[in-house]
Amino acid sequence: MEVTIFGSGYVGLVTGACLAEVGNDVLCIDVDPDKIDLLNSGGVPIYEPGLDELIRNNREAGRLRFSTDAEAGVKHGLFQFIAVGTPPDEDGSADLQYVLSVARTIGQHMEGYRILVDKSTVPVGTADKVAETVRAALAERDQSIDFDVVSNPEFLKEGAAIEDFMRPDRIIVGTDNPRTAELLRALYAPFNRNRDRLMVMDVRSAELTKYAANAMLATKISFMNELSNIAEIVGADIEKVRVGIGSDPRIGYQFIYPGCGYGGSCFPKDVRALERTARGVGYEPQLLQAVEAVNFRQKELLFDKLKAQFDGDLAGRTIALWGLAFKPNTDDMREASSRVLMESLWAAGAKVQAFDPVAMDEARRIYGERPDLVLAEDATAALAGADALVIVTEWTQFRSPNFRLIRDTLARPLLLDGRNILDPQQATAAGLTYLSIGRAPATPA
């Protein structure tokens, strides 16, 4: 099948590469000529495990192409995927200007039937706005051409996006047109072989499903972080509580790990956008507000714990950070807990020495060169002369460190584990004071 993808960001590239991998003819369109030049020269503008190889193989096979020519994109594909950004507006709502701009472009250039597929995360009612925009563009041309708008939300986890696309838990298709549903079923057939994962529903339900999924996962994280703060005060161990409640199949173990807050491009933005949608229809979403408030407070917890260890004065101190990305296997630092911690430390007069396996360039892009930030060449270098080590991202390579090396390299033997990935007994046995989330501090015997 011939497929056009508008937007060559995270969702667009993964979608395009995976659709090309199963034999489709995919043309990716983007307004950024530098990004397109990079992709055409063999580069990839984002980090996602396996994506560079997937793009390279399909480019070489001629199934995946990149261009800035929007008119050619509209002419190319029966399926017109809209996978552009929907950044939060000032009031927290999703900014649809890029989505509607693509819809306008399609309406200006389409010459035959097209299926517009909303792949971007968009609020309820967006498909109606897309359809209105296309009709308006057609009216300006004095044309009447048939088209459909489908909601097909993505459920891709950063760091595991290719696996999620190739072997999805579910494929949501929102449409009221049975013919369109069957065309989407045919497109997704290679990913839907051993059991039927495709669910057809009305457009508005499909749009809400994406927000509902992310809001539910964010709620589980904030609930567990709320419990961790209670556990620490009352003298309980949140990790034992986690095992105790996770054994209940109605709760499960996923997304109940305590930590220093969620970040990234989805959860924070989508929870806020859903809040804004609710208020827009006259409903006050109290639980969603609490989820976001708990997460905001949790991101400040690491700084508060450090500040308490230094009697409220961090001026002149050097703090080592392991992990900058909001989660492992990505370089994404959008709304990452590391950013809240670093910016609080700088405001307090402290210096940061940080290391992340893949997010160093992203940190340089965000913060540039500054005297109070050292981006170390490796995890050990980040420790040199620091007054404390804070683990902010649960990268695999941080899970079994040399505790004695940490103790000997730090100026002060203080380790703050913001993701509870280490064993307190091993840390204290090596002479480290160990702080974590939802557990009492552990000190050397």
Side-chain angles (χ1 to χ4, degrees):
M1 294 186 178
E2 294 174 334
V3 178
T4 298
I5 311 273
F6 281 94
S8 294
Y10 186 84
V11 174
L13 286 177
V14 172
T15 300
C18 290
L19 288 174
E21 177 70 8
V22 296
N24 296 294
D25 181 3
V26 180
L27 175 59
C28 293
I29 304 295
D30 201 281
V31 297
D32 185 347
D34 292 336
K35 183 183 292 185
I36 294 300
D37 288 344
L38 175 65
L39 287 161
N40 281 326
S41 65
V44 179
I46 60 173
Y47 176 83
E48 175 65 30
L51 182 59
D52 53 351
E53 181 180 2
L54 201 63
I55 289 175
R56 181 176 63 252
N57 291 345
N58 284 283
R59 274 188 66 253
E60 292 174 353
R63 294 187 297 265
L64 181 61
R65 292 173 291 132
F66 303 96
S67 174
T68 58
D69 188 343
E71 183 176 357
V74 177
K75 291 180 178 179
H76 173 76
L78 168 64
F79 299 98
Q80 302 275 310
F81 278 80
I82 302 176
V84 294
T86 53
D89 217 333
E90 291 182 4
D91 62 357
S93 61
D95 185 350
L96 296 179
Q97 63 171 309
Y98 306 112
V99 170
L100 298 181
S101 176
V102 172
R104 190 174 305 110
T105 297
I106 295 172
Q108 290 169 342
H109 297 295
M110 62 188 289
E111 297 175 352
Y113 175 69
R114 292 291 181 265
I115 300 173
L116 283 70
V117 184
D118 280 339
K119 200 68 176 172
S120 303
T121 300
V122 293
V124 176
T126 298
D128 293 337
K129 294 179 180 179
V130 168
E132 291 169 7
T133 302
V134 174
R135 281 193 290 267
L138 288 171
E140 291 174 0
R141 298 168 51 202
D142 196 25
Q143 294 286 323
S144 178
I145 301 173
D146 191 21
F147 68 92
D148 280 301
V149 180
V150 175
S151 175
N152 176 220
E154 54 86 13
F155 298 96
L156 305 176
K157 298 187 295 292
E158 292 192 45
I162 293 171
E163 177 71 15
D164 286 345
F165 197 102
M166 302 295 279
R167 298 176 179 81
D169 296 321
R170 72 286 208 198
I171 303 165
I172 303 293
V173 172
T175 179
D176 297 319
N177 188 333
R179 178 188 64 174
T180 307
E182 289 310 305
L183 288 169
L184 265 295
R185 186 179 293 279
L187 178 66
Y188 279 113
F191 315 101
N192 196 34
R193 293 182 64 83
N194 65 351
R195 65 177 175 85
D196 189 5
R197 297 176 170 88
L198 193 137
M199 305 174 190
V200 179
M201 59 184 71
D202 63 277
V203 174
R204 289 185 169 233
S205 294
E207 290 172 333
L208 183 56
T209 296
K210 168 64 176 180
Y211 280 108
N214 281 352
M216 173 59 79
L217 297 176
T219 298
K220 292 185 74 172
I221 294 170
S222 280
F223 177 77
M224 203 62 190
N225 284 334
E226 187 89 290
L227 282 182
S228 72
N229 296 331
I230 296 171
E232 199 165 322
I233 295 170
V234 301
D237 184 334
I238 194 61
E239 290 299 325
K240 294 176 181 177
V241 175
R242 178 183 63 80
V243 173
I245 66 173
S247 60
D248 186 331
R250 297 170 300 176
I251 298 172
Y253 289 106
Q254 291 187 314
F255 286 85
I256 62 168
Y257 289 89
C260 50
Y262 61 75
S265 63
C266 294
F267 287 5
K269 174 175 70 72
D270 291 353
V271 170
R272 291 176 202 139
L274 187 54
E275 283 184 60
R276 186 69 180 85
T277 296
R279 291 197 192 96
V281 295
Y283 182 80
E284 194 64 23
Q286 296 179 358
L287 180 57
L288 295 177
Q289 293 172 33
V291 168
E292 184 65 11
V294 169
N295 190 58
F296 182 82
R297 183 178 63 193
Q298 201 71 12
K299 289 183 179 180
E300 297 177 328
L301 190 61
L302 298 179
F303 177 76
D304 292 341
K305 285 178 175 285
L306 282 172
K307 190 175 179 181
Q309 289 293 311
F310 292 95
D311 299 322
D313 184 10
L314 286 162
R317 299 290 184 178
T318 297
I319 307 299
L321 266 62
W322 280 3
L324 294 168
F326 86 95
K327 62 177 285 188
N329 298 318
T330 180
D331 63 350
D332 195 343
M333 289 180 62
R334 284 175 286 186
E335 304 220 29
S337 299
S338 64
R339 297 180 64 171
V340 175
L341 175 57
M342 287 193 293
E343 289 164 16
S344 297
L345 288 169
W346 293 330
K351 175 183 174 183
V352 172
Q353 295 177 173
F355 172 75
D356 187 285
V358 302
M360 304 290 269
D361 287 342
E362 181 66 2
R364 290 187 186 94
R365 184 190 69 80
I366 294 169
Y367 293 113
E369 297 295 329
R370 50 185 300 160
D372 50 7
L373 173 62
V374 174
L375 295 173
E377 60 183 17
D378 56 39
T380 301
L383 302 173
D387 296 290
L389 165 63
V390 185
I391 298 177
V392 189
T393 312
E394 61 275 31
W395 285 94
T396 301
Q397 69 185 75
F398 300 154
R399 291 178 178 269
S400 184
N402 185 328
F403 288 104
R404 294 191 181 278
L405 175 65
I406 294 172
R407 181 203 63 193
D408 293 342
T409 310
L410 290 173
R412 174 172 171 169
L414 176 61
L415 193 165
L416 171 51
D417 182 358
R419 298 295 178 182
N420 288 10
I421 61 174
L422 303 180
D423 184 339
Q425 292 184 342
Q426 291 184 14
T428 56
L432 290 162
T433 295
Y434 178 83
L435 309 178
S436 57
I437 307 296
R439 298 181 290 192
T443 56

